[in-house]
């Protein structure tokens, strides 16, 4: 019986994967148009609420950005650090509040 269930689940799993691929390609095209032309001397990106984000490796590899993130939870910070670690990308992730950023972060990011 497990094989029968697998047969029913497989098409939806593949459909979800195809949809994700289409979405990621569309987002890549959007980011390439929006960010690709933006070429600052230093490339620094910050993501607010970065907890479960898988975008850090993408922005680092696709555009050469040094990536940083801020999240209000310890769990979010650990998750972001794990994502960066698995991708072999270094980045700075801190716990904090968007409305009370560290003074050394103000004006330090391009994106």
């Amino acid at each position: 019986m497990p094989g029968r269930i697998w047969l029913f689940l497989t098409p939806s799993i593949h459909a979800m994967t195809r949809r994700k691929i289409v979405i990621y390609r569309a987002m890549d095209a959007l980011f390439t148009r929006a960010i690709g032309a933006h070429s600052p001397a230093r490339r620094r990106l910050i993501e607010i609420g970065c907890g479960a984000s898988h975008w850090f490796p993408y922005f680092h590899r696709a555009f050469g950005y040094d990536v940083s993130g801020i999240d209000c939870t310890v769990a979010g910070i650990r998750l972001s650090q794990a994502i960066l670690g698995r991708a072999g990308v270094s980045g700075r992730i801190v716990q904090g509040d968007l409305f009370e950023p560290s003074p050394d972060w103000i004006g330090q990011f391009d994106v």
Side-chain angles (χ1 to χ4, degrees), residues 86-109:
R86 281 193 304 270
V89 173
S90 63
R92 183 174 171 206
I93 311 297
V94 299
Q95 184 175 6
D97 184 344
L98 165 67
F99 299 106
E100 294 179 17
S102 172
D104 66 323
W105 279 41
I106 296 174
Q108 296 300 309
F109 300 96

Side-chain angles (χ1 to χ4, degrees), residues 63-84:
F63 303 105
Y65 278 95
D66 292 332
V67 293
S68 299
I70 185 170
D71 199 277
C72 62
T73 67
V74 172
I77 292 166
R78 288 184 182 144
L79 185 54
S80 288
Q81 290 169 334
I83 291 166
L84 285 169

Side-chain angles (χ1 to χ4, degrees), residues 22-80:
V22 168
I23 290 168
Y24 289 152
R25 284 183 179 162
M27 292 185 78
D28 178 59
L30 173 74
F31 289 136
T32 299
R33 283 192 307 275
I35 296 173
H38 179 68
S39 188
R42 60 164 197 201
R43 294 176 157 239
R44 295 187 66 197
L45 174 135
I46 185 169
E47 184 170 352
I48 309 299
C50 62
S53 176
H54 290 270
W55 289 106
F56 286 133
Y58 166 79
F59 282 105
H60 177 74
R61 290 185 180 132
F63 303 105
Y65 278 95
D66 292 332
V67 293
S68 299
I70 185 170
D71 199 277
C72 62
T73 67
V74 172
I77 292 166
R78 288 184 182 144
L79 185 54
S80 288

